[in-house]
Each structure stands twice: as structure tokens, then as C-alpha cells.
Amino acid sequence: MASGHFFCAIFYFACLCSASLANNPKVNFREKEKKILDQILGAGKYDARIRPSGINGTDDKATQVFVNMFLRSISKIDDYKMEYSVQLTFREQWLDERLKFDDIGGRLKYLTLTEANRVWMPDLFFSNEKEGHFHNIIMPNVYIRIFPYGSVLYSIRISLTLACPMNLKLYPLDRQVCSLRMASYGWTTADLVFLWKEGDPVQVVKNLHLPRFTLEKFLTDYCNSKTNTGEYSCLKVDLLFKREFSYYLIQIYIPCCMLVIVSWVSFWLDQGAVPARVSLGVTTLLTMATQTSGINASLPPVSYTKAIDVWTGVCLTFVFGALLEFALVNYASRSADRAADMHRENMKKKRREMEQASLDAASDLLDTDSNATFAMKPLVRHPGDPLALEKLRQCEVHMQAPKRPNCCRSWLSKFPTRQCSRSKRIDVISRITFPLVFALFNLVYWSTYLFREEEED
């Protein structure tokens, strides 16, 4: 009997539960979303051609659109074309009171759309864009969220190639500022105003790596423009890129220094080694010219002088000067040979004259008069006598006061002043002069351009 009452109680409780579930069916929020969308975006209820009202629902005020973005990657910065490529997630947010809906007690946070043409959209465009495309793999990377109080959030992922005018006077010790400009195409500031979202309007992906640049910082600003048709709202982001110098130090500066130093090897070769010195000079000159052409091929043909032009030009001048130095040495050597030949001929001629004079003197001493007496020659020579003048010069030389020693003269005195050693002196002077002048140029070059770089900062 007791068991029968127990089963009756269970059956009664089950009937009560089924009745309560029938009276409170489970809410299907997806179905609610469909009904709300049909309600606020139905035919004749919402017109996407009409812009939303301004602040506090006033129609005489401009619609405010808040913008923010997330920089996903910067793929390249092209110096020749003066452009850079960037991939970003772009977001806009504005208030459209026509899109208000009931959030079912806070359970429906927002509605999601994938068709941008269903609601009014700001006519924003990128003013310095060269190329751009949307991402449609696997599905179009775009969404629109409508919040209960009428706020609309538009988000899309896009890739852009943007123009970036560059000043290459300090290349490759330069910094470049590349901008990303966004403006309204048709709506003036009386109807539409773009504003940066408060807080953190621009975000950059962590560990952003660029091959030859470093993103130092970025700044947000406004760039409203006035034309004949009115004033248009504009936003911009300035990206400050610093060029990585280590790449250019290894690829350009050190090889150029090595070529200049190799060209100095000819100063230590014998002046008679004509094939070796000519081959060394011509080879280094052609290599330096090829290096300069390769550098200029990767840069645009600008009208001003770049820092790299000064470096390659001076290095090319040093290499060319080493080749000219050998030409001067060769010319001096051949001049010395001709002078030596003329000197030998003069010495032979003087020797013959002296031998003839000694023979004449001997014949005069052996000549006697009729009384068998020797002819006496005067002991004192006349002032015009050449032998007396020669003796007088020798005395003057021995009586000259000694001069004070000079470091340069004592160093140069190691090499005779005769014409035949002039070519060797040119080589020795070049061994000292070329490295000193090149070291002085390096000091002036790096001091000047590094100081100018700090001034621009």
C-alpha cells in the first residue's frame, strides 16, 4: 500500500515538471536575432542611403565616426619606388539610433552582419594608396556588429601599398617618415567627421621585424583638407622608420675601404714592375666602378647628392689617384733615364776636355827656350782663370755655416736628390700621404653625417 502511494507521488511530480516546461519553452536567441534584424532593417524601415543623425540625435550636427586600427605586418619598404606595403585590421565605430533594439534583458549583446551594404557606411578612402585588396580566404574577412543602443562597429582586414615620399640626402644614415592617410571622399565636415578613438587608436603587432628598417615610433594626427567643394575630415598615422646601418656597413662601406687599401699596394711594388702595377690599378678601379653602379641601381635618380654618393665618389677618386700616381712614377723614371744618359754624355765630354787640358799643360812645362831654361809659369792666376774659380768655390763650400737639422729634410735626405731617384721618392711620399688623407676624410665624413642625423632627430 505504501509503495502505491510512492509511485503516485512521483507521477504527480513529473506531471508538474512537464507542465512548467510547456509554459516556459527554451528561448532560441538565433531566431530572435533574425526577427530583430528583419524588424530594424526591413523594407521601408531603414534606408542605408541616409546618414545617421549627429550628436544627441540632432540632424544639423555632423556624424562622428571613431577610427582605430591594428597593424598586423609591414612587408616591405621600397626605396626605388618610394612606397611601402602594410596589412592592417581597420575599424570604424559610429552611432545610428535607427538601429536600436531590445537586448532581451542583457542576453543579446550584439547582432552580427557580413553584408556592409545593409547599413549606412562612411565613405572613407586612403588618400595615399597605390594598390589595395581585401582578404576573402576562406570567407571575407569583414564583419559588422550592431549593439543594442544603436552603436555600429565595422571591422575589415585589408592589405595596402602606400606612397611614401623619401628624403635620401643622408642615405643610408637616414630616417624616413611614412604616412597612412584616411579621408572622407564625399561628405564634408558639416556632415561627417572622423576622430581617433580615445585610449590606444593604433596598435602594432609584437615582434614586428623588417629586413632593413626598425619602426621606432608612430604618431596620430589630423589632416583636414580644404578644396573648392568644401572641407573634408582626414586622419593620418606617421610611422617613423630608422634604417639599419649594419647591412650597409658590411655590404658597402667595408668593401669600398678594402678596395682603396688594395690600390695602395702598388706603392710598395718596384717601379719597374709595370704589368703588376697596371693590372692592380685597373682592376681596383673597375671593381670600384662596378660597386658604385650596383649601389645607384637600387636607388631612384634623385637630383641631390646622397651620403653614399660622397663615400663612393671619394673612394673612386682615391683608387683613380693611385693609378695616376703610377703614371707619374713611370714618367719620372723615364725622365730620370734620359737625364742619366745626358749626364753620362756630359761627363765623358768633360773628361775628354780635362785630358786634353792636362796634355797641354804637360807640353807647356816641357817646353824650353834657346838658353835651355824652363819657361816659368806665373804662380798667381788671373781672376778670370777657371782653375782659380774652381778652387774658390771649394773654399766657399767648406766655409759655409752648418744648417739646423729639419725632420722632413732629414727623412727625405735618405733618398738622393738626383733625377734618377725622383720616382722612388714619389712612391715613398704616396705611402704616407694617401692613408693620412683617407683617414682625415673618414673623420670628417662620419662626424658630419652623424651630427646631421642627430640634428634631424
Side-chain angles (χ1 to χ4, degrees), residues 187-356:
W187 298 97
T188 62
T189 52
D191 300 316
L192 179 63
V193 174
F194 290 109
L195 300 172
W196 285 114
K197 186 178 180 179
E198 296 181 359
D200 195 6
V202 178
Q203 298 174 331
V204 181
V205 65
K206 294 182 179 179
N207 301 324
L208 177 65
H209 296 289
L210 297 173
R212 289 179 297 151
F213 288 89
T214 300
L215 179 61
E216 288 193 328
K217 60 182 179 180
F218 54 88
L219 303 172
T220 58
D221 201 357
Y222 296 89
C223 54
N224 292 3
S225 60
K226 291 184 178 180
T227 64
N228 294 333
T229 57
E231 183 180 0
Y232 297 90
S233 181
C234 175
L235 302 177
K236 73 171 181 177
V237 183
D238 290 332
L239 305 174
L240 179 59
F241 296 102
K242 179 183 179 183
R243 197 181 299 272
E244 289 291 342
F245 180 69
S246 58
Y247 168 81
Y248 300 92
L249 179 66
I250 297 173
Q251 297 294 327
I252 295 177
Y253 284 91
I254 292 179
C256 289
C257 284
M258 293 174 65
L259 286 174
V260 173
I261 295 173
V262 167
S263 67
W264 299 341
V265 175
S266 63
F267 304 152
W268 300 86
L269 298 179
D270 186 76
Q271 59 186 8
V274 176
R277 298 187 69 164
V278 170
S279 300
L280 183 62
V282 172
T283 302
T284 52
L285 182 62
L286 293 177
T287 307
M288 191 66 216
T290 305
Q291 181 85 348
T292 304
S293 300
I295 295 170
N296 293 329
S298 61
L299 295 174
V302 295
S303 59
Y304 48 82
T305 302
K306 304 180 289 294
I308 195 67
D309 294 335
V310 176
W311 175 264
T312 56
V314 172
C315 291
L316 188 62
T317 303
F318 270 94
V319 174
F320 183 67
L323 186 60
L324 291 183
E325 189 270 348
F326 169 67
L328 182 61
V329 167
N330 188 265
Y331 174 77
S333 177
R334 287 187 286 107
S335 299
D337 293 340
R338 290 195 297 267
D341 294 339
M342 294 178 61
H343 181 69
R344 283 194 293 269
E345 292 295 332
N346 293 333
M347 291 299 293
K348 289 180 181 179
K349 185 177 180 181
K350 289 181 180 180
R351 190 178 296 109
R352 287 195 296 268
E353 291 177 355
M354 292 177 64
E355 291 177 355
Q356 185 64 33

Side-chain angles (χ1 to χ4, degrees), residues 18-248:
S18 61
S20 62
L21 290 175
N23 294 330
N24 298 308
K26 185 178 180 181
V27 179
N28 188 342
F29 288 99
R30 305 289 80 80
E31 186 67 24
K32 286 288 185 181
E33 288 184 14
K34 176 183 180 302
K35 290 181 180 180
I36 293 174
L37 288 174
D38 292 339
Q39 180 182 355
I40 63 177
L41 298 177
K45 295 183 179 181
Y46 184 88
D47 194 344
R49 298 173 297 177
I50 308 301
R51 73 171 180 87
S53 301
I55 303 174
N56 297 325
T58 54
D59 293 332
D60 58 340
K61 297 295 184 178
T63 303
Q64 293 183 348
V65 179
F66 296 91
V67 176
N68 69 94
M69 63 181 63
F70 176 66
L71 292 177
R72 294 183 173 272
S73 66
I74 299 175
S75 58
K76 69 172 182 177
I77 301 176
D78 195 332
D79 298 319
Y80 190 84
K81 296 181 180 180
M82 291 193 177
E83 64 184 22
Y84 72 105
S85 299
V86 60
Q87 183 187 129
L88 54 91
T89 298
F90 178 76
R91 306 185 187 98
E92 295 174 309
Q93 193 166 5
W94 65 93
L95 181 62
D96 193 344
E97 294 184 351
R98 298 172 295 176
L99 299 176
K100 289 183 178 180
F101 63 90
D102 183 14
D103 59 354
I104 315 177
R107 296 183 179 182
L108 195 60
K109 295 182 179 180
Y110 53 80
L111 303 175
T112 302
L113 295 177
T114 56
E115 300 174 358
N117 57 354
R118 297 288 301 275
V119 298
W120 177 87
M121 294 291 299
D123 60 342
L124 181 141
F125 77 105
F126 297 92
S127 58
N128 60 334
E129 173 202 352
K130 286 187 174 182
E131 294 180 1
H133 67 272
F134 301 112
H135 293 266
N136 297 318
I137 300 176
I138 299 177
M139 293 294 292
N141 298 163
V142 59
Y143 67 81
I144 298 175
R145 290 177 180 174
I146 303 175
F147 294 88
Y149 51 91
S151 178
V152 182
L153 173 63
Y154 173 73
S155 178
I156 187 171
R157 187 165 73 99
I158 52 179
S159 292
L160 300 170
T161 299
L162 304 166
C164 179
M166 298 181 183
N167 186 353
L168 300 174
K169 288 184 178 180
L170 297 181
Y171 177 90
L173 300 168
D174 57 334
R175 285 177 168 85
Q176 300 298 335
V177 178
C178 295
S179 299
L180 192 155
R181 294 173 177 266
M182 301 156 286
S184 173
Y185 189 81
W187 298 97
T188 62
T189 52
D191 300 316
L192 179 63
V193 174
F194 290 109
L195 300 172
W196 285 114
K197 186 178 180 179
E198 296 181 359
D200 195 6
V202 178
Q203 298 174 331
V204 181
V205 65
K206 294 182 179 179
N207 301 324
L208 177 65
H209 296 289
L210 297 173
R212 289 179 297 151
F213 288 89
T214 300
L215 179 61
E216 288 193 328
K217 60 182 179 180
F218 54 88
L219 303 172
T220 58
D221 201 357
Y222 296 89
C223 54
N224 292 3
S225 60
K226 291 184 178 180
T227 64
N228 294 333
T229 57
E231 183 180 0
Y232 297 90
S233 181
C234 175
L235 302 177
K236 73 171 181 177
V237 183
D238 290 332
L239 305 174
L240 179 59
F241 296 102
K242 179 183 179 183
R243 197 181 299 272
E244 289 291 342
F245 180 69
S246 58
Y247 168 81
Y248 300 92

